[in-house]
Amino acid sequence: MEDSYDAMLPIWRENLVVLTEAIGADTRLARMMSLSASLLKLILAGQREFSEEFVRGVETVTGLPAHWMDTVHEADEIPGSTRAAIDTETPFAKFRGTVHPVRKRAVLKSSGDIIGRSEAARRAAEAAASDEAEQNRRRAHFRKVRDLAIQEVRRLEWHLGHPPAELAVLRAKIEDVMDAASELDPRVAADLAGRIEQIEKHHDLLRRHVEKLHALLARLDAAERGPEGGPE
């Protein structure tokens, strides 16, 4: 796995340095591994990466125990047979593997992208569901307060249609007063007649305003749903 490779790489490199501490050991090991001394020097300096296949090849070619390279070692822990093989440039086997690592970063990155997109899609879906729930809550609250307002408008509308005193009766009573007055100032008579007329006029106007208010409140439900909202 990629994480395992990244964790083992510094350990392998450190052990390669230990194996090549002796003068000329790096050049001899390079020839034993069938690669250039300059490439091995770059590997030892940390300027080139290398494959696990190369590490296993070093173990096989120098006679090291299997997976010896996976644990950090000191120079005195190098087996005598391995030290002798490097000193005399006598390989135990021939390395035919690949030095350069084959790392499928693009594939892993693509997988990460897929996971990232899936997570983003999930979050987007959750956000959309949350927004829809909030919109439904707001619409329900709107309808509730709208219906309460309509109830009050209807109550006012009913009272306007059923006043405690009929305007026609009120007019007749005022006219009786005017007729019964023996010496009524003409200005007062005109004022009384004008007041009755204004009351009747504004009563009718008020009723029309209340009716329009009722109709407007009823239409607000469709406006709140917007152009895409369907009928309930």
Side-chain angles (χ1 to χ4, degrees):
M1 295 177 62
E2 197 75 28
D3 291 343
S4 176
Y5 172 85
D6 290 338
M8 295 304 300
L9 188 61
I11 298 175
W12 293 336
R13 195 187 310 276
E14 186 173 344
N15 283 328
L16 284 173
V17 171
V18 170
L19 289 173
T20 56
E21 282 182 344
I23 298 175
D26 53 352
T27 302
R28 293 192 294 274
L29 180 60
R31 285 196 291 264
M32 292 171 68
M33 296 298 296
S34 302
L35 66 147
S36 67
S38 60
L39 176 57
L40 183 57
K41 289 180 185 296
L42 291 173
I43 290 174
L44 295 173
Q47 298 178 15
R48 288 289 187 278
E49 293 185 353
F50 49 93
S51 64
E52 182 177 0
E53 185 179 12
F54 171 73
V55 174
R56 302 306 165 211
V58 169
E59 292 173 340
T60 302
V61 169
T62 61
L64 286 169
H67 297 284
W68 185 90
M69 294 284 288
D70 295 347
T71 305
V72 176
H73 295 283
E74 300 294 336
D76 57 3
E77 297 180 85
I78 300 175
S81 58
T82 297
R83 190 182 300 276
I86 296 175
D87 289 344
T88 60
E89 202 174 320
T90 307
F92 283 84
K94 186 174 181 60
F95 177 64
R96 294 185 175 85
T98 302
V99 177
H100 302 289
V102 180
R103 307 179 69 180
K104 299 181 180 179
R105 292 187 181 275
V107 173
L108 292 177
K109 182 177 180 181
S110 176
S111 299
D113 289 344
I114 292 173
I115 294 173
R117 285 196 296 270
S118 299
E119 179 66 14
R122 182 185 66 80
R123 291 180 180 177
E126 289 179 351
S130 177
D131 290 344
E132 183 177 0
E134 176 63 17
Q135 290 175 4
N136 290 336
R137 186 195 66 78
R138 288 181 63 254
R139 281 194 290 266
H141 176 69
F142 164 78
R143 284 192 291 268
K144 179 180 179 180
V145 297
R146 187 277 316 271
D147 291 346
L148 290 174
I150 287 178
Q151 288 178 10
E152 293 302 315
V153 172
R154 285 176 174 172
R155 185 176 292 111
L156 176 59
E157 192 174 15
W158 186 89
H159 282 294
L160 289 173
H162 302 81
E166 292 291 338
L167 291 179
V169 175
L170 179 60
R171 170 179 282 278
K173 296 294 184 182
I174 297 299
E175 289 175 350
D176 289 344
V177 171
M178 294 168 62
D179 291 340
S182 57
E183 295 181 0
L184 184 63
D185 188 324
R187 290 176 298 179
V188 175
D191 194 14
L192 287 172
R195 297 293 178 184
I196 289 296
E197 184 178 348
Q198 289 296 320
I199 289 173
E200 292 174 340
K201 178 180 177 181
H202 284 88
H203 178 266
D204 292 338
L205 182 62
L206 180 59
R207 288 188 62 177
R208 288 197 297 272
H209 280 306
V210 171
E211 290 171 356
K212 289 182 178 180
L213 178 61
H214 185 185
L216 180 60
L217 286 171
R219 288 198 302 269
L220 280 180
D221 188 44
E224 174 68 12
R225 288 199 303 269
E228 296 182 359
E232 294 183 2

